[in-house]
Amino acid sequence: MEAIVSLSKRRGFVFPSSDIYGGFNGFFDYGPLGVELKKNIRDCWWNDMVRRREDIVGLESSIIMHPKVWQASGHVAGFTDPLVDCKASKQRYRADQLFFSAVEVVNPEDNSKQIIGYVSALESENTAGDLQDKAESMKRKKAVRGNLVTITPRDMTEAKPEEIALIPSPATGEPGSLTEPRAFNMMFETHVGALRDESSVSYLRPETAQGMFVDFKNVVDTGRVKIPFGIAQIGKSFRNEITPRNFIFRSREFEQMEMEYFIHEDADWAKSHREWINWCKSWLISIGLPESHLTEYNHPQEKLAFYSKGTTDIMFKYPFGVQELWGIAARGNYDLTQHANASGVPHFIFDEATKKRYIPHVIEPAVGVDRIFLAVLCGGYAEEDVTDEKGNVEKRTVLRFNPRIAPVKVAVLPLLKNKPELVQRALDIYTRLKRRYAVFYDEGGAIGRRYRRQDEIGTPWCITIDFDTIEKDGTFTLRERDSMQQRRITEAELFALLEEAVY
Ligand code: ATP
């Protein structure tokens, strides 16, 4: 992770927000290469999800919506995470990310068990191991004889009231300062209009999805859609996360790509749900995520909201653990029903076949652009030993971005910068490529160094304009990032290659 965060900053992918003021926890800026990568991710999704399908239309709803939207959707009452305070350090923790265990010792003589204290640790890749180490250290410090019982981690939402006083705060290492978990609403509040009182409170949206439900009727009334159909939106969402972490994985301002797919109330929702899970997975592979890093997690029935029929997350193996990338939820007709009831505006679809009205059900694939961004960085990052023509071994850092999303598709390199014929020819090709693709012109430094610079930002191809180009057949050298192989290619062949790979 450290290498990826450092490369991101050094090469202009991601900067901490307000960096010169020391950053602002949970907020990030995307630099010159980052915006290109992010835009490509968005564009691929939009093209595949909306433009290339007959059954899905787009939407851009406002970020601040009528406060009644968030009351009807249940967010005002229930969009909460459990929060634990440490009164001593003033630190706050998400209760479901703070783990603890009793430290229990068995006396080998009479097999009696004794709890000698409690240990706690923040969720990590090795939470159980951390707790076990702390338990062993406690046993040593207290010089207790006997065998330690293997710890079983529980999170703070599972702590009994009498245990809370005994669990040490991760900030101070001492018990007595943690509070009982309480519900913390994650929506950012703001005031709309000149009055700043209760009546002017509104919210920055915590998801884009409600826009699709609230505009459902408007979209249906445009007459372009017929069940089954989807409404898709890309846009910023805001959540006052208690513990933003893992770089851009969990931030307070992020971007979502969500689609609500409306189906007949009697349709086979499980089939549609499965089709969308498969679609999302194939799409992730099409932009270059390694299939080996993708798994599925089915939310257990008892943890689902009462209206939910099923939720499956596509998980990605990040360096900090396997985590949710894309959630695909079957939400029944809960959202449309809520808005129909709260607004008094009916949300029915008329079934011509049965002559009956019904409220459609919905399948919702919801993903974060920033989480995909991080996944393609992590999945594509590699450090390799390479041997140059002289036999010297050196390290190369490479981002193996799929050409669809690579911020720069081709780097155009004249072999020598002091030969005007080479430079002119290179600039000509560069100009023609630039009309259609994001390309980069670089004439500075040894050719090998220029290749390395492009490897590090994930450029799939470099072309080198040399004397053969101007004196012979006009072909130039195409160097491939991953294989590092070189071959001669014509300009027409290069355009054909790009046409095939960048879509
Ligand atoms: P988590 O359990 O990780 O908090 P969630 O289940 O609350 O996520 P959803 O409400 O289903 O997430 O949001 C849909 C998608 O939006 C997630 O799968 C994720 O890709 C993205 N997302 C959610 N919260 C954040 C965040 N704080 N930062 C970046 N992306 C996020």
Side-chain angles (χ1 to χ4, degrees):
M1 251 335 260
E2 241 168 69
I4 290 167
V5 175
S6 137
L7 172 76
S8 291
K9 182 160 184 195
R10 186 159 38 85
R11 297 310 308 267
F13 284 96
V14 183
F15 308 127
S17 160
S18 321
D19 204 9
I20 57 170
Y21 291 99
F24 197 37
N25 198 9
F27 297 91
F28 292 92
D29 294 347
Y30 288 82
L33 287 173
V35 283
E36 290 292 334
L37 177 58
K38 211 169 171 212
K39 179 174 168 11
N40 293 341
I41 293 171
R42 266 193 239 118
D43 287 351
C44 282
W45 189 89
W46 192 260
N47 286 336
D48 292 339
M49 181 63 97
V50 182
R51 291 196 175 156
R52 293 178 181 141
R53 293 185 66 110
E54 304 299 319
D55 56 348
I56 296 181
V57 294
L59 178 76
E60 189 173 309
S61 62
S62 64
I63 287 177
I64 298 180
M65 300 163 83
H66 199 295
K68 283 185 180 165
V69 170
W70 305 108
Q71 277 151 17
S73 67
H75 283 79
V76 171
F79 194 62
T80 56
D81 268 346
L83 170 83
V84 166
D85 282 295
C86 165
K87 287 179 284 186
S89 67
K90 306 282 179 253
Q91 296 281 336
R92 301 188 134 177
Y93 304 98
R94 239 175 83 170
D96 55 347
Q97 292 173 352
L98 175 50
F99 286 82
F100 73 96
S101 172
V103 181
E104 223 175 349
V105 178
V106 182
N107 183 336
E109 278 152 28
D110 58 4
N111 266 346
S112 63
K113 279 187 186 167
Q114 181 199 359
I115 291 181
I116 61 164
Y118 280 77
V119 286
S120 67
L122 291 173
E123 185 182 40
S124 70
E125 255 180 285
N126 188 25
T127 318
D130 288 348
L131 289 172
Q132 192 70 41
D133 291 348
K134 286 181 182 173
E136 271 156 26
S137 147
M138 176 182 280
K139 180 174 166 274
R140 264 198 312 277
K141 270 198 201 133
K142 294 198 173 182
V144 181
R145 292 193 31 225
N147 302 322
L148 202 60
V149 177
T150 310
I151 57 110
T152 31
R154 284 183 286 153
D155 74 48
M156 287 295 287
T157 61
E158 300 164 285
K160 299 187 189 102
E162 63 274 18
E163 286 179 313
I164 290 176
L166 305 171
I167 298 168
S169 156
T172 62
E174 298 297 326
S177 65
L178 293 178
T179 62
E180 280 192 32
R182 64 188 167 87
F184 172 78
N185 195 303
M186 288 196 288
M187 282 200 292
F188 281 101
E189 279 185 15
T190 186
H191 292 268
V192 172
L195 273 180
R196 293 184 75 83
D197 62 12
E198 275 298 297
S199 71
S200 65
V201 169
S202 13
Y203 307 94
L204 302 195
R205 69 177 173 205
E207 59 172 42
T208 60
Q210 292 307 318
M212 278 78 99
F213 298 126
V214 170
D215 270 324
F216 172 80
K217 215 178 153 321
N218 281 334
V219 173
V220 169
D221 289 348
T222 63
R224 284 187 57 193
V225 291
K226 263 212 194 94
I227 293 280
F229 73 91
I231 311 178
Q233 168 159 226
I234 301 180
K236 287 264 178 144
S237 293
F238 304 81
R239 294 182 188 180
N240 196 2
E241 296 277 357
I242 299 166
T243 44
R245 58 182 183 160
N246 292 330
F247 194 35
I248 53 174
F249 177 82
R250 184 178 301 289
S251 48
R252 290 180 166 138
E253 172 178 336
F254 55 99
E255 203 166 1
Q256 289 186 306
M257 306 195 287
E258 299 194 284
M259 194 277 293
E260 305 301 327
Y261 199 71
F262 298 99
I263 56 176
H264 195 289
E265 61 174 350
D266 298 330
D268 182 350
W269 69 266
K271 180 164 168 270
S272 185
H273 188 228
R274 174 39 60 191
E275 281 166 4
W276 278 110
I277 299 165
N278 294 348
W279 188 95
C280 297
K281 236 185 184 171
S282 314
W283 187 83
L284 290 171
I285 294 165
S286 86
I287 61 156
L289 288 191
E291 195 171 353
S292 57
H293 285 42
L294 299 172
T295 45
E296 285 178 26
Y297 169 75
N298 294 317
H299 288 232
Q301 204 65 35
E302 67 275 12
K303 293 220 167 155
L304 294 177
F306 71 92
Y307 52 79
S308 172
K309 294 184 178 289
T311 296
T312 301
D313 292 339
I314 298 178
M315 313 291 284
F316 184 77
K317 195 164 144 231
Y318 289 98
F320 44 86
V322 174
Q323 296 280 343
E324 172 181 342
L325 173 57
W326 203 328
I328 299 102
R331 300 179 59 85
N333 62 7
Y334 175 76
D335 307 271
L336 289 182
T337 306
Q338 287 294 104
H339 289 301
N341 292 342
S343 65
V345 178
H347 277 59
F348 295 118
I349 290 277
F350 186 71
D351 186 341
E352 292 291 346
T354 61
K355 306 287 179 214
K356 279 200 330 220
R357 301 184 314 169
Y358 67 94
I359 299 185
H361 287 220
V362 74
I363 309 289
E364 173 189 272
V367 69
V369 183
D370 315 76
R371 283 196 190 174
I372 297 180
F373 188 109
L374 185 57
V376 296
L377 274 180
C378 297
Y381 183 89
E383 288 172 13
E384 304 173 338
D385 286 332
V386 289
T387 313
D388 68 12
E389 315 83 66
K390 295 182 193 128
N392 302 321
V393 177
E394 57 170 19
K395 274 238 166 330
R396 85 159 177 157
T397 302
V398 55
L399 282 172
R400 294 185 201 282
F401 289 145
N402 183 283
R404 292 190 80 191
I405 55 155
V408 176
K409 311 297 182 201
V410 183
V412 181
L413 321 172
L415 186 63
L416 299 167
K417 73 168 169 190
N418 55 3
K419 296 284 174 213
E421 324 85 274
L422 292 182
V423 168
Q424 193 49 53
R425 186 61 167 265
L427 284 172
D428 286 348
I429 298 173
Y430 169 65
T431 309
R432 280 193 293 279
L433 283 167
K434 211 159 55 149
R435 284 193 204 133
R436 303 247 339 247
Y437 301 104
V439 288
F440 190 80
Y441 176 79
D442 186 6
E443 55 179 30
I447 201 79
R449 285 251 304 284
R450 281 185 268 168
Y451 286 155
R452 294 284 177 278
R453 286 206 286 263
Q454 295 304 317
D455 290 343
E456 214 185 28
I457 62 166
T459 307
W461 300 285
C462 292
I463 55 168
T464 303
I465 315 306
D466 55 23
F467 289 103
D468 278 1
T469 318
I470 46 176
E471 287 164 8
K472 287 192 184 158
D473 51 6
T475 61
F476 36 77
T477 303
L478 178 89
R479 186 258 192 188
E480 288 182 345
R481 176 196 63 204
D482 297 346
S483 65
M484 291 185 288
Q485 277 176 359
Q486 305 186 7
R487 63 190 157 103
R488 301 297 292 185
I489 187 172
T490 65
E491 193 172 322
E493 283 165 342
L494 174 65
F495 270 96
L497 175 73
L498 287 167
E499 173 74 21
E500 181 66 27
V502 181
Y503 58 95

